[in-house]
Amino acid sequence: LRVYLPTCTDDESAAMFGPVARFVVRDEAPVVFSCAPGLSPAHLSSSVVIRGVQIHAFERSMLATFEGSLAEALPSDFPDECARFTPTQLREIVRIGVARALGHGISTDAGITIYVHLHLVLGADFDVRLPFASAILSSTSHEADRVDELYRAAVCHLHGGVSVQED
């Protein structure tokens, strides 16, 4: 609600919250609701329409949370590479890497994570500086295939052009 409420119009707030005759309270267990006597979930307001601006607010919030989690995980995944950056700098590296990944049509959490890892290890401009990366990212292959090929090519590049067999 902290994301949704600031985007509500007065009419949407009134439809969602008022006038309040009874409250529906979430129980301790997940996804279990307790209703006031005589009130069932079917008595709640008809459908709530979430507008584009609200969806965008949710997307921004989720993206910020994802970026924060990714930035927090980087030092344990890449301690040597991260040692020279402050937490603020790492968050900025992640923010830029996520934006570039999205610009290349990489939108899954797994794909973005791999892209940001490569962004950190190979350098911020690896996607234009390294011919193999540029070629792979500009292909029309499915996202998962491009990310897999990019990862494999990057590992090969990091090992001096020698292909590395994975388990």
Side-chain angles (χ1 to χ4, degrees):
L1 287 178
R2 67 181 157 75
V3 173
Y4 176 70
L5 289 178
T7 68
C8 285
T9 64
D10 290 341
D11 290 340
E12 290 168 336
S13 294
M16 182 75 133
F17 300 107
V20 177
R22 301 202 169 147
F23 291 96
V24 176
V25 181
R26 184 171 180 170
D27 195 69
E28 298 280 325
V31 195
V32 176
F33 291 90
S34 301
C35 297
L39 183 65
S40 70
H43 289 101
L44 298 175
S45 85
S46 53
S47 57
V48 174
V49 176
I50 299 179
R51 296 176 293 117
V53 66
Q54 294 162 327
I55 290 172
H56 187 64
F58 282 119
E59 289 172 342
R60 283 192 320 268
S61 175
M62 290 174 58
L63 185 60
T65 299
F66 175 70
E67 288 175 351
S69 297
L70 192 51
E72 286 177 17
L74 283 178
S76 62
D77 294 338
F78 299 95
D80 294 338
E81 290 83 354
C82 293
R84 60 191 167 121
F85 299 111
T86 67
T88 301
Q89 290 171 321
L90 283 176
R91 283 191 298 277
E92 183 65 8
I93 288 167
V94 167
R95 189 192 64 72
I96 292 168
V98 168
R100 290 181 79 107
L102 292 170
H104 288 296
I106 298 171
S107 59
T108 63
D109 288 357
I112 291 171
T113 299
I114 289 170
Y115 187 95
V116 169
H117 289 173
L118 296 177
H119 178 83
L120 176 67
V121 173
L122 298 174
D125 63 344
F126 84 94
D127 55 344
V128 293
R129 183 176 40 81
L130 300 174
F132 73 85
S134 181
I136 292 166
L137 289 167
S138 65
S139 81
T140 57
S141 300
H142 186 270
E143 175 186 341
D145 295 333
R146 285 185 298 127
V147 170
D148 184 57
E149 185 179 359
L150 181 63
Y151 172 78
R152 290 177 186 281
V155 168
C156 182
H157 172 79
L158 289 168
H159 286 87
V162 177
S163 181
V164 177
Q165 192 72 352
E166 294 185 24
D167 295 335

